[in-house]
Amino acid sequence: MIRRTAFITIWIMTALISFTVYSEDLSLLPWPMEVQSQTGFYAPSIHTSVYISEDTEALRWLGGRLCDMLASAIPEQKPKLLEASQAAPKDAIVLRMMPSSLGDEGYTLDVTEQGIQIQAPTPAGLLYGVQTLGQLLQPTVSPHGIPCVRIKDQPRFQWRGLMLDCSRTFQSLDYLRKTIDRMAMYKMNVLHLHLTDDQGWRLEIKRYPELTRKGARFPEKYKQPDAYHGFYTQEDMRALVKYGQQRNVTIVPEIELPGHSLAILSCYPELPCTGGPFEIYPFFEGDHITRDIACAGNEKTFEFFENVFSEVVAVFPSAFIHIGGDEAPKDRWEACSKCQARIKEEGLKNTHELQSYFVKRIEDILTKHNRRLIGWDEILEGGLAPNASVMNWRGVENGKAAASMGHDVVMSPTTHCYFDYTYERISSEHAYSFNPIPEGLSDAQKKHIIGIQANFWSHIDRTPARTDAQLFPRLLAIAERAWSPKEQTSWPDFYRRQQQQIPILQVSGVVSYDETKP
Ligand code: ACM
Ligand code: ZN
């Protein structure tokens, strides 16, 4: 009898083991806050349907996406989308909007043998539940179906960003849409577009047509390929904003000032301190940082930016507008009588304080439009504008200083987050080791570190394939750092999951860099 009981117990345990996919075998990335593996599988069939709890555009779109994802797992038939007016069948996959304590982007996902429930207070939370479900659906996870699991998830940081430099090299709309898709796969939510620089102006501004007529094309003598030039119309960008919204990716535009502004100065020669004429040139054909910058003593400069920002905010609904602010050489301001007169009138000490004055005036413009200013960490020099937020790229000390003063900070230091750098300099493992919260901040100050961001400058690698290879696979390290709990730091575990994502990325057209090759 004892032997028989032992046999049955062993038999049941073996059966349970083969019908449980343990969490350490799942290839979820970014890893969720809480994962509890359960016994069994949900097997999608031709009877599977997707039910949405509200008939809104956002949920219909998301339900449709889930049906498409499931269609690849049930080849005979695409699941039906059932709207809220109908009753939810017991075995449906349910997307339900409901209040929760997991924040705006959190969700719960319950997979049982009977059905699947994703619950969240917002379409963004439901989207992330669907993305996680998509990763469980991968045939590599289990041949039996979707493993039963209970997941409770929410992001660590509200800003999970990627910056693409569209100025040094124009990035096609197709590439921007692909980038949004890939970001959404890994729950990243801010695409920061560096739209203006010394190498080109990329956004249609109706009041200043020269910016894109002249400022979006290198002079013929440089013989640059056609693909490297171009600009986005306001309609292009409105459509991209909507594309991003569906995938919970906010487009944050950057209009760079007062430096990195040769594209402006070449079109409107009344704006620099010295008269020009200027013309834009490819990055490696001249000074990497142009010494001519917008004149801070000339009211026309502020009128120009006021008009530009009034069009920018009408296109981009993002809470934050990025104003650049980095690497503005001060030589021209030192020598300019108008800039020096401004310093005197305003009782400023030096040209660093003049840059602060400049940024504060831009902050006033953005505040009138109900937007928040964010800039590279040089905006700290000479005093930070009262409500400015800081994007910290040089070490982490500037971000730490800004957070201690109560300003919000996005960490994107060159040490871990610059993906135009080689993999020898920043490997995935190194990017994954990034700790965005500097030592020595109080709990209240730590809350001002609102996120992290990877940056890609497009002066060296200028084609979509080269850009992909610089971003992938190491962007996944930043995606996990930005989303997963801070305790999630095991490199071997991340590496296993990252490797499982590489073929999936390749199927979606990503040219991923092979870090395993010497
Ligand atoms: C920067 O890399 N100059 C922000
Ligand atoms: Zn000047």
Side-chain angles (χ1 to χ4, degrees), residues 115-376:
I116 297 179
Q117 290 266 346
I118 300 175
Q119 297 183 348
T122 62
L126 291 179
L127 168 79
Y128 290 143
V130 166
Q131 296 296 61
T132 302
L133 181 60
Q135 291 185 347
L136 292 172
L137 250 178
Q138 291 299 327
T140 45
V141 176
S142 166
H144 302 294
I146 305 171
C148 292
V149 71
R150 301 196 69 171
I151 290 176
K152 250 190 186 176
D153 204 4
Q154 70 182 140
R156 179 178 179 201
F157 291 113
Q158 73 185 64
W159 184 302
R160 305 180 297 280
L162 168 66
M163 185 280 290
L164 280 188
D165 172 2
C166 307
S167 173
R168 269 49 173 278
T169 303
F170 179 70
Q171 310 285 340
S172 73
L173 281 167
D174 179 55
Y175 191 70
L176 296 185
R177 283 189 294 268
K178 281 185 180 145
T179 302
I180 289 173
D181 289 342
R182 295 157 185 177
M183 290 173 71
M185 280 167 75
Y186 302 104
K187 304 188 174 82
M188 297 184 78
N189 68 348
V190 176
L191 177 60
H192 161 185
L193 297 180
H194 182 75
L195 292 168
T196 71
D197 208 301
D198 293 332
Q199 279 68 40
W201 181 282
R202 306 293 175 205
L203 177 68
E204 175 191 31
I205 299 292
K206 296 193 194 279
R207 182 153 181 154
Y208 299 109
E210 282 299 279
L211 288 172
T212 45
R213 198 194 60 76
K214 184 167 177 223
R217 260 205 102 73
F218 293 113
E220 284 307 317
K221 66 181 175 199
Y222 294 115
K223 303 204 178 325
Q224 292 289 290
D226 251 4
Y228 294 0
H229 306 96
F231 68 93
Y232 313 108
T233 66
Q234 295 192 357
E235 276 321 294
D236 289 339
M237 281 290 128
R238 285 202 176 91
L240 192 75
V241 164
K242 174 150 194 213
Y243 192 88
Q245 279 167 342
Q246 287 173 323
R247 293 155 181 81
N248 198 41
V249 174
T250 301
I251 314 287
V252 171
E254 178 182 350
I255 303 294
E256 171 91 80
L257 58 89
H260 288 274
S261 55
L262 189 66
I264 303 170
L265 311 184
S266 67
C267 299
Y268 294 96
E270 65 273 28
L271 301 181
C273 294
T274 57
F278 303 106
E279 59 179 26
I280 58 173
Y281 53 85
F283 187 82
F284 288 108
E285 301 280 350
D287 286 345
H288 296 172
I289 300 171
T290 311
R291 307 217 78 72
D292 287 286
I293 69 175
C295 179
N298 181 353
E299 272 311 292
K300 282 200 175 130
T301 300
F302 296 101
E303 204 180 291
F304 171 85
F305 283 115
E306 177 141 30
N307 291 331
V308 165
F309 282 116
S310 73
E311 294 194 34
V312 168
V313 298
V315 174
F316 299 96
S318 57
F320 285 93
I321 304 288
H322 202 300
I323 58 94
D326 61 318
E327 299 176 320
K330 304 295 188 303
D331 336 21
R332 300 293 188 258
W333 284 3
E334 295 290 353
C336 170
S337 57
K338 286 194 208 132
C339 285
Q340 291 302 318
R342 178 81 77 189
I343 287 177
K344 242 193 177 150
E345 273 158 38
E346 297 293 331
L348 307 172
K349 285 202 197 71
N350 51 35
T351 47
H352 289 296
E353 290 199 358
L354 184 58
Q355 169 147 344
S356 279
Y357 165 86
F358 200 124
V359 172
K360 279 180 195 138
R361 288 202 54 181
I362 301 297
E363 184 176 79
D364 290 343
I365 295 169
L366 293 178
T367 304
K368 269 196 271 171
H369 290 291
N370 242 335
R371 303 305 177 92
R372 296 179 63 187
L373 177 151
I374 186 163
W376 301 110

Side-chain angles (χ1 to χ4, degrees), residues 2-78:
I2 291 172
R3 274 185 53 196
R4 206 170 138 207
T5 312
F7 174 77
I8 291 171
T9 310
I10 289 167
W11 183 82
I12 291 172
M13 280 176 63
T14 313
L16 282 180
I17 288 165
S18 69
F19 279 94
T20 306
V21 173
Y22 290 96
S23 52
E24 59 271 21
D25 295 326
L26 296 175
S27 84
L28 302 174
L29 197 158
W31 191 253
M33 184 176 72
E34 242 181 77
V35 181
Q36 285 174 16
S37 290
Q38 313 278 319
T39 308
F41 297 88
Y42 175 91
S45 75
I46 53 169
H47 305 295
T48 299
S49 53
V50 170
Y51 172 85
I52 50 176
S53 71
E54 288 177 14
D55 281 344
T56 57
E57 190 188 335
L59 261 62
R60 275 195 297 275
W61 180 84
L62 188 55
R65 240 177 104 85
L66 179 54
C67 290
D68 290 342
M69 277 163 57
L70 288 159
S72 57
I74 324 163
E76 299 93 30
Q77 191 176 322
K78 189 165 146 178

Side-chain angles (χ1 to χ4, degrees), residues 163 256 260 326-327 376 378 391 393 414 418 455 457:
M163 185 280 290
E256 171 91 80
H260 288 274
D326 61 318
E327 299 176 320
W376 301 110
E378 283 92 334
M391 186 164 276
W393 69 284
T414 52
Y418 268 46
N455 294 331
W457 300 101

